[in-house]
Amino acid sequence: SIEDPESFWAEQAERLHWIKRWDKVCEWDFEEPAIKWFEGGKLNASANCLDRHIEAGRGDEVAIIWEGNDPSESMKLTYQELYSEVCRFASGLRSLGVAKGDRVCIYLPMVVELAVAVLACARIGAIHSVVFGGFSAEALKDRVEDTQAKLVITADGGHRGGKIIPLKNTADQALSKGCDSVETVIVFQRCKNDISMQDGRDIWWHDAEQEQSAECEPEPMNAT
């Protein structure tokens, strides 16, 4: 890695699945200074997290082990199950007009759907910004406005310290203070606490992915 870094990193890159192989491993500009990695290469992070493991015959192996606040609340998802869920949600995002380069703000508790949302965004080439579920309405508003997010993904609530954190209500407060770029809010039903849904803007997670395909072609993204 020190004596011949290009050969070393090329060898590591062979572990990934490439849609288009790179032209050059790295290119330095010492005046800037700047470096470009794997220039000309195309790949997709979601496909590398999921597809390549399924293609290698590991689809039935466990990809995620999740445990909730209650010890009795747990879930295991295989790579194949996670792949199907990610593709359905990614297809749902596309049907709502989210395209490559659009920004999505994710404001969720620590649930499996957080990983699904991140992988779905990566699959269609949308840029995702994950905002900690304990942040205030003002902090969420700042991040939505900074990214000019087109869509926000949140939940009705989240569990912390034996209490329900009203995430949707906080998101509503944030979006009421501007955030004109937001066209859609997807709401995952976690705690079943009382919330309000705004007509024409808010949609339930299960409705967003209803009848969507369990196959979604990954968007080729620049390796840099």
Side-chain angles (χ1 to χ4, degrees):
S1 64
I2 295 173
E3 294 175 1
D4 189 0
E6 289 202 23
S7 295
F8 175 80
W9 289 112
E11 183 181 344
Q12 308 317 307
E14 292 291 354
R15 299 166 63 190
L16 301 176
H17 173 261
W18 292 84
I19 298 169
K20 178 182 177 295
R21 190 179 171 82
W22 62 88
D23 300 318
K24 189 173 177 62
V25 173
C26 64
E27 184 176 328
W28 285 92
D29 182 341
F30 290 99
E31 293 184 6
E32 288 284 338
I35 185 171
K36 294 179 180 178
W37 283 101
F38 302 103
E39 186 76 3
K42 302 276 186 181
L43 75 172
N44 183 281
S46 176
N48 273 287
C49 287
L50 301 170
D51 305 42
R52 71 187 177 104
H53 297 300
I54 294 170
E55 291 166 6
R58 294 190 290 270
D60 291 333
E61 292 184 15
V62 175
I64 289 181
I65 301 173
W66 175 84
E67 293 182 353
N69 291 58
D70 185 335
S72 66
E73 188 181 30
S74 65
M75 182 190 304
K76 291 182 180 180
L77 268 77
T78 65
Y79 281 104
Q80 185 62 57
E81 290 169 335
L82 184 58
Y83 169 87
S84 298
E85 185 66 21
V86 166
C87 285
R88 275 194 292 270
F89 193 66
S91 299
L93 290 176
R94 275 182 172 160
S95 72
L96 292 169
V98 179
K100 182 178 180 178
D102 286 337
R103 276 76 67 201
V104 173
C105 194
I106 302 173
Y107 184 62
L108 285 170
M110 294 298 286
V111 289
V112 170
E113 285 71 20
L114 172 56
V116 170
V118 166
L119 290 168
C121 287
R123 196 163 194 88
I124 63 174
I127 301 165
H128 64 274
S129 171
V130 178
V131 179
F132 171 52
F135 278 0
S136 66
E138 192 65 29
L140 175 60
K141 168 185 170 290
D142 289 344
R143 285 155 179 78
V144 170
E145 290 187 332
D146 285 346
T147 58
Q148 286 296 289
K150 185 174 185 177
L151 183 143
V152 172
I153 303 171
T154 189
D156 52 3
H159 295 291
R160 183 172 298 127
K163 298 179 180 179
I164 293 177
I165 309 300
L167 294 176
K168 176 60 164 61
N169 293 343
T170 303
D172 286 341
Q173 292 174 34
L175 300 181
S176 69
K177 302 176 181 180
C179 303
D180 296 333
S181 63
V182 176
E183 299 174 4
T184 309
V185 177
I186 295 178
V187 185
F188 174 65
Q189 191 174 49
R190 167 68 172 139
C191 299
K192 298 184 178 180
N193 50 304
D194 289 335
I195 62 169
S196 60
M197 298 286 283
Q198 182 174 309
D199 290 341
R201 187 197 69 179
D202 299 351
I203 178 172
W204 289 106
W205 176 293
H206 53 266
D207 289 333
E209 65 174 9
Q210 188 176 15
E211 298 181 2
Q212 295 292 341
S213 172
E215 298 288 338
C216 180
E217 193 69 20
E219 189 74 31
M221 304 297 290
N222 291 334
T224 52

